[in-house]
């Protein structure tokens, strides 16, 4: 059974969906004013691994990720460029989707944008008002944490003596509050500023209310899992809990899961610190997205800090290559009849242990340890000629099971194709055509021409696959 470490109870909890067979997952998404950096992608990759494991274990998963498309920096840029919010954010939303695809991250089922849910936020704020949990101050409408006695449970912070501004994000909401930790639900804006005319007056929503309104609109008032990086615990998620539960009176979320940070030279990778790399930077420097995916998702457990170094990226590249080469070797193996024997036992045990590692709070690094130990033994069996068709099938099933979570092989195939010269690419296409037409003479002729160019081709159940000779 899948268990996850829950930040609220501070222990591992079983994943038991509120609705039988259907897991509802909300993950905090990007503020779309620049390209996300690979620290952000550590969060999105942890969530992708979670999503993939959930999809292996449960019949249905609904995954929602918000896009924060109204916020101080976005507004500042829009004003500076003389553009609308939509014009300002569209290129960054596009860039975000491109990077998700480049890293093989499964798309969420919904990407609600804050600007499209302002009505829902207004309703939620009104509901909180009816329950006496809000007040008006100079800057707008605030949530009164005095109305929510269990405030601070998630982060373990006491209601009194807390320092506001722990995340930097609350600074802009500081004016006119009764309690230092009360936070803005709605910010008044002047007639010339970007904002919405609503029943609350002219203004725009605070950051925290977005996630409460959008998650509850798409997943219901209570749902299963909510994720983000550890910097989201306070104040963002603490505030989400307070305003959601104060409005509905029911528990907001079953399990809270948070990933630790990607760091560079001892500091959190962050836009504000200027110590960040984007995926595009790394690819321009010659990195492969498959290696970046491996580094961020599979080398260190998601609840431990990960240090970004060129050496770690290099080792990830090698791990990916070893895994892909093993797959290639199995696919190229001539079928030989037999009853399976030790290779089948080896593969089945590795699958069991890999699954168990993931069930234990998504321990993909431990799972990969199991996989590479099995690969070493399987390679020795292959060297000795001891793998028949049944063994090959079992080992391929292992590779498939692992990559359903690891997600690097489709990236490797894409990267290899991109590395081909136009001539080789054309010959491969022609050969695929010839095979589709069952023209074996032509197909073999092209194979020889490819071999002369240093490219070998093998035919696999999923089509031809090339490699350098
Ligand atoms: P933000 O755009 O700052 O709200 O960040 C988007 C997501 O990335 C949130 O879940 C953050 O917690 C997460 N995040 C930001 N920086 C890092 C980092 N250096 N390492 C891991 N996750 C991060
Ligand atoms: Zn959020």
């Amino acid at each position: 059974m899948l268990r996850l470490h829950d930040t609220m109870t501070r222990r591992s909890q079983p994943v038991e969906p509120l609705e039988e067979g259907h897991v509802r997952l909300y993950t905090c998404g990007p503020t779309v004013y620049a390209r996300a950096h690979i620290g952000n992608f550590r969060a999105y990759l942890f969530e992708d691994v979670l999503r993939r494991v959930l999809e292996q274990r449960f019949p249905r998963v609904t995954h929602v990720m918000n896009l924060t498309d109204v916020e101080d920096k976005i507004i500042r840029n829009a004003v500076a460029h003389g553009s609308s919010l939509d014009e300002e954010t569209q290129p960054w939303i596009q860039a975000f989707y491109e990077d998700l695809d480049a890293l093989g991250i499964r798309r969420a089922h919904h990407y609600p944008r804050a600007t499209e849910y302002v009505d829902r936020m207004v309703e939620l704020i009104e509901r909180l008002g009816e329950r006496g949990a809000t007040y008006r101050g100079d800057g707008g409408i605030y949530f009164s944490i005095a109305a929510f006695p269990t405030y601070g449970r998630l982060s373990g912070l006491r209601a009194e003596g807390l320092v506001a501004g722990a995340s930097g994000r609350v600074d802009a909401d500081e004016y006119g509050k009764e309690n230092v930790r009360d936070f803005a639900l709605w910010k008044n804006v002047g007639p010339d500023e970007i904002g919405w005319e609503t029943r609350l007056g002219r203004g725009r929503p605070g950051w925290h209310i977005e996630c409460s309104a959008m998650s509850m609109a798409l997943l219901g008032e209570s749902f299963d899992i909510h994720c983000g990086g550890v910097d989201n615990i306070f104040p963002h998620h603490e505030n989400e809990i307070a305003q959601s539960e104060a409005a509905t009176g029911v528990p907001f979320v079953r399990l809270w899961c948070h990933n630790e940070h990607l760091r560079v030279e001892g500091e959190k990778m962050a836009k504000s610190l200027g110590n960040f790399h984007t995926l595009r930077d790394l690819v321009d420097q010659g990195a492969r997205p498959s290696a970046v995916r491996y580094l961020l998702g599979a080398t260190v457990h998601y609840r431990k800090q990960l240090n970004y170094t060129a050496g770690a990226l290099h080792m990830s590249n090698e791990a990916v290559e070893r895994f892909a080469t093993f797959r290639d070797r199995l696919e190229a193996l001539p079928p030989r009849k037999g009853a399976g024997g030790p290779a089948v036992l080896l593969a089945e045990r590795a699958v069991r242990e890999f699954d168990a590692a993931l069930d234990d709070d998504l321990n993909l690094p431990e799972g990969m340890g199991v996989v590479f130990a099995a690969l070493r033994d399987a390679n020795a069996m292959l060297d000795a000629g001891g793998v028949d068709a049944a063994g090959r099938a079992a080992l391929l099933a292992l590779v498939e099971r692992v990559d359903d979570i690891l997600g690097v092989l489709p990236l490797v195939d894409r990267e290899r194709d991109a590395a081909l010269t136009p001539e080789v690419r054309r010959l491969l296409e022609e050969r695929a055509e010839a095979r589709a037409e069952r023209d074996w003479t032509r197909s073999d002729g092209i194979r020889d021409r490819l071999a002369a160019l240093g490219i070998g081709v093998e035919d696999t159940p999923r089509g031809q696959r090339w490699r350098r000779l």
Side-chain angles (χ1 to χ4, degrees):
M1 170 182 271
L2 174 61
R3 301 179 70 91
L4 296 171
H5 181 87
D6 171 34
T7 308
M8 179 68 86
T9 54
R10 291 158 180 72
R11 47 175 77 114
S12 144
Q13 300 286 0
V15 178
E16 287 163 338
L18 290 161
E19 181 188 318
E20 175 84 29
H22 178 196
V23 181
R24 286 169 291 167
L25 169 68
Y26 186 88
T27 58
C28 287
T31 305
V32 281
Y33 72 98
R35 223 171 238 281
H37 56 70
I38 58 167
N40 301 131
F41 280 105
R42 184 179 193 205
Y44 308 139
L45 272 165
F46 142 65
E47 292 155 1
D48 186 56
V49 168
L50 171 60
R51 157 93 180 265
R52 287 164 178 258
V53 173
L54 290 171
E55 286 182 343
Q56 272 190 357
R57 309 288 190 271
F58 297 93
R60 184 167 167 221
V61 177
T62 303
H63 176 194
V64 177
M65 175 180 271
N66 66 296
L67 300 175
T68 298
D69 62 349
V70 50
E71 179 264 1
D72 291 345
K73 286 184 284 288
I74 297 174
I75 291 174
R76 207 180 307 142
N77 291 348
V79 169
H81 301 151
S83 47
S84 67
L85 280 185
D86 207 33
E87 285 163 347
E88 192 57 41
T89 54
Q90 195 51 43
W92 302 121
I93 294 176
Q94 206 47 47
F96 178 61
Y97 288 148
E98 273 167 31
D99 286 349
L100 287 182
D101 291 348
L103 288 170
I105 294 175
R106 287 187 188 160
R107 294 273 187 112
H109 302 95
H110 304 275
Y111 288 103
R113 298 184 190 191
T115 52
E116 291 170 354
Y117 281 78
V118 173
D119 289 349
R120 301 299 289 252
M121 298 176 210
V122 169
E123 278 167 31
L124 190 56
I125 295 168
E126 286 177 333
R127 223 166 137 188
L128 286 167
E130 285 158 19
R131 296 191 168 222
T134 68
Y135 62 92
R136 278 194 184 265
D138 294 344
I141 301 175
Y142 296 91
F143 182 86
S144 165
I145 62 157
F148 192 68
T150 56
Y151 188 88
R153 217 152 47 97
L154 182 72
S155 53
L157 299 169
R158 297 275 155 268
E160 54 285 328
L162 255 184
V163 186
S167 81
R169 290 232 189 171
V170 286
D171 293 346
D173 311 341
E174 285 293 284
Y175 36 85
K177 298 191 297 189
E178 289 176 1
N179 180 309
V180 67
R181 280 179 309 106
D182 290 348
F183 54 91
L185 296 164
W186 186 256
K187 303 179 183 185
N188 297 335
V189 301
D192 301 331
E193 292 175 83
I194 290 176
W196 285 259
E197 300 291 347
T198 71
R199 293 189 295 271
L200 303 174
R202 182 170 173 77
R204 61 186 175 86
W207 172 40
H208 313 297
I209 197 74
E210 275 181 31
C211 281
S212 288
M214 296 193 283
S215 60
M216 292 198 288
L218 290 160
L219 295 172
E221 291 184 351
S222 295
F223 57 92
D224 299 295
I225 308 175
H226 193 132
C227 304
V230 288
D231 54 301
N232 282 165
I233 297 174
F234 181 83
H236 185 47
H237 290 166
E238 199 73 82
N239 292 354
E240 278 188 46
I241 295 169
Q243 63 203 0
S244 304
E245 298 190 355
T248 66
V250 298
F252 178 42
V253 164
R254 280 290 278 277
L255 294 174
W256 287 93
C257 301
H258 294 100
N259 63 279
E260 252 300 345
H261 285 146
L262 178 68
R263 296 168 72 86
V264 204
E265 289 165 8
E267 277 190 303
K268 175 191 172 190
M269 183 177 287
K271 270 182 207 123
S272 55
L273 296 175
N275 62 352
F276 62 92
H277 304 280
T278 64
L279 176 65
R280 180 179 276 186
D281 296 336
L282 297 182
V283 168
D284 286 348
Q285 291 158 20
R288 306 194 320 171
S290 58
V292 176
R293 181 175 169 103
Y294 192 94
L295 172 67
L296 297 176
T299 56
V300 170
H301 187 260
Y302 75 88
R303 288 199 296 117
K304 296 212 171 87
Q305 294 179 345
L306 165 62
N307 237 326
Y308 174 77
T309 62
L313 184 59
H314 178 72
M315 275 165 59
S316 296
N317 195 45
E318 296 202 326
V320 169
E321 207 43 49
R322 218 172 331 142
F323 185 59
T325 306
F326 181 71
R327 185 257 331 245
D328 299 343
R329 187 174 188 194
L330 287 174
E331 288 191 335
L333 198 67
R336 184 164 57 76
K337 284 215 171 352
V344 172
L345 294 178
L346 175 77
E348 288 177 353
R349 200 181 75 201
V351 167
R352 275 197 309 275
E353 290 178 2
F354 179 77
D355 285 356
L358 285 153
D359 279 342
D360 180 14
D361 196 24
L362 303 180
N363 201 336
L364 184 54
E366 185 179 303
M368 290 317 297
V370 167
V371 170
F372 282 116
L375 259 53
R376 212 161 35 238
D377 294 348
N379 273 321
M381 288 179 192
L382 286 162
D383 292 342
V387 177
D388 59 24
R392 174 180 183 268
L395 289 167
L396 277 172
L398 165 66
V399 168
E400 200 162 305
R401 179 85 178 165
V402 170
D403 205 56
D404 190 35
I405 306 299
L406 187 63
V408 296
L409 294 178
L411 307 187
V412 169
D413 292 341
R414 214 191 282 164
E415 289 152 7
R416 287 180 179 174
D417 285 348
L420 290 172
T421 63
E423 184 189 10
V424 167
R425 211 173 313 185
R426 186 175 48 76
L427 286 171
L428 284 170
E429 278 164 20
E430 280 179 21
R431 185 167 181 277
E433 253 169 53
R435 293 188 66 78
E437 288 159 13
R438 313 181 77 74
D439 185 347
W440 311 126
T441 323
R442 185 161 157 246
S443 145
D444 287 349
I446 299 174
R447 179 204 295 268
D448 294 342
R449 284 170 63 196
L450 282 164
L453 294 167
I455 300 292
V457 268
E458 257 109 39
D459 296 301
T460 77
R462 271 173 284 152
Q464 68 185 3
R465 175 159 286 128
W466 68 269
R467 66 187 163 83
R468 296 197 193 279
L469 292 172

